[in-house]
Amino acid sequence: MQTLANWDGGPGPWILFFPLIWAAVVIGVVTLLRRTVGRGGRGPWRATADTRPTGDSPIAVLGRRFASGEIDEDEYWRRLSVLDEQFGRTGKGGAA
């Protein structure tokens, strides 16, 4: 009987191909499970970085300084326009 793996009466080099496929499948499953469990069940396809602005962002610091009275309204709007040019807004409200 002639098969694809039959080469001069022996299995030939194709015999090494199938264990490599199984090794790749096992490694892939283990990696997927480790990444899923390590992220608290969220899956490896979701981003881990939190995209919300932190309390230490320049715009948040400026807002706190204005709220505490360290700077007046004119200074606030002037600095905010500079920060908008550098960092941009994320659409979280405020004057447009």
Side-chain angles (χ1 to χ4, degrees), residues 33-77:
L33 289 175
R34 288 184 71 188
R35 292 186 73 187
T36 303
V37 170
R39 293 174 186 235
R42 292 181 303 195
W45 47 87
R46 292 190 182 168
T48 59
D50 192 6
T51 57
R52 291 179 291 167
T54 62
D56 294 332
S57 72
I59 294 176
V61 170
L62 182 64
R64 281 196 303 270
R65 289 186 65 198
F66 177 64
S68 68
E70 290 181 41
I71 57 175
D72 62 354
E73 186 177 359
D74 292 332
E75 181 75 10
Y76 172 77
W77 288 113

Side-chain angles (χ1 to χ4, degrees), residues 3 6 8 14 20 24 26 32 37 40 44 52 54-55 58 60 63 65 67 76 79 81 85 89:
T3 62
N6 191 5
D8 290 330
W14 289 101
L20 289 176
V26 169
L32 182 69
V37 170
R52 291 179 291 167
T54 62
R65 289 186 65 198
Y76 172 77
R79 291 184 182 204
S81 66
E85 290 174 7
R89 286 275 179 111

